Amino acid sequence: MNGSGMHIHFALYKDGKNIFADPDDVNGLSEDAYHFIGGLLAHSEEMAAITNPLVNSYKRLVPGYDAPTELTWTKNNQNSLIRISNLRSDSLAIELRSQMHLQILTLCLLFVLQPVWMEFSRNYILPTSDRSFSESDQKAMNIGNLPLNLDDALTHFENSTWIQSVLGKKVL
């Protein structure tokens, strides 16, 4: 059955202008928006132990239950981790959809924002999807998924050099 999740909406403004919006882009997104999305997608597997800290967190992250499982961005696919709302609008926002509501919000925000600032200057190939993919299609297109359970999430967390750079090696 469907579960409860928490979505975080990001919108950044400079001088009253939404820096994520670009009306001249085919997707309505600015270069900054693509970098922001890329940073989130690049480290989502490693963050999963923080954003989804309980065994039950993963019981809702199942394809077909309107839950984000694919490491893609979209404007309307329920299986994509990131959704773009209000495309072609000054109120455009980037929505991260994987978090469980029973998390430590400040810790979650530290980990959610950290990859964005660290990776802002990188260029990513961002998989986008307006539909869900079969497992074979995902492999062919090199589209990852969120961890399937807390054990997998903890393995990603513990083996991550990025997590070590954020927390320090002694914490792990």
Side-chain angles (χ1 to χ4, degrees):
M1 97 178 10
N2 293 346
S4 296
M6 181 180 91
H7 299 187
I8 299 175
H9 296 255
F10 298 95
L12 293 177
Y13 292 84
K14 182 176 182 179
D15 299 325
K17 184 177 185 282
N18 186 327
I19 68 165
F20 288 155
D22 180 355
D24 296 328
D25 180 69
V26 66
N27 295 308
L29 300 173
S30 70
E31 187 174 327
D32 289 333
Y34 287 114
H35 290 301
F36 194 96
I37 294 165
L40 291 174
L41 290 175
H43 297 290
S44 291
E45 290 173 301
E46 300 155 284
M47 290 189 289
I50 298 296
T51 59
N52 295 282
L54 304 175
V55 170
N56 283 343
S57 303
Y58 299 89
K59 292 180 180 176
R60 68 179 179 78
L61 296 175
V62 177
Y65 285 103
D66 293 338
T69 54
E70 298 172 359
L71 299 180
T72 58
W73 68 273
T74 187
K75 57 184 175 185
N76 61 10
N77 176 11
Q78 292 300 316
N79 284 339
S80 290
L81 177 65
I82 295 172
R83 188 177 74 86
I84 309 302
S85 60
N86 299 319
L87 281 169
R88 308 270 182 210
S89 164
D90 194 46
S91 60
L92 182 143
I94 296 171
E95 176 185 358
L96 182 63
R97 306 178 50 248
S98 65
Q99 308 77 244
M100 183 175 192
H101 64 288
L102 297 173
Q103 62 176 304
I104 301 170
L105 184 58
T106 53
L107 186 60
C108 176
L109 287 175
L110 165 73
F111 279 93
V112 167
L113 292 175
Q114 187 71 19
V116 171
W117 304 133
M118 288 176 62
E119 309 292 338
F120 218 75
S121 63
R122 288 191 173 183
N123 289 316
Y124 290 99
I125 296 172
L126 300 176
T128 181
S129 171
D130 288 333
R131 64 178 179 87
S132 297
F133 294 104
S134 69
E135 192 174 324
S136 61
D137 287 344
Q138 280 185 282
K139 284 182 183 177
M141 297 171 71
N142 199 27
I143 295 174
N145 287 300
L146 285 173
L148 298 174
N149 55 54
L150 183 56
D151 188 49
D152 288 347
L154 288 171
T155 299
H156 283 288
F157 184 85
E158 291 168 351
N159 294 329
S160 170
T161 56
W162 170 72
I163 294 287
Q164 290 175 10
S165 73
V166 174
L167 291 178
K169 291 181 180 183
K170 292 187 177 189
V171 174
L172 299 177

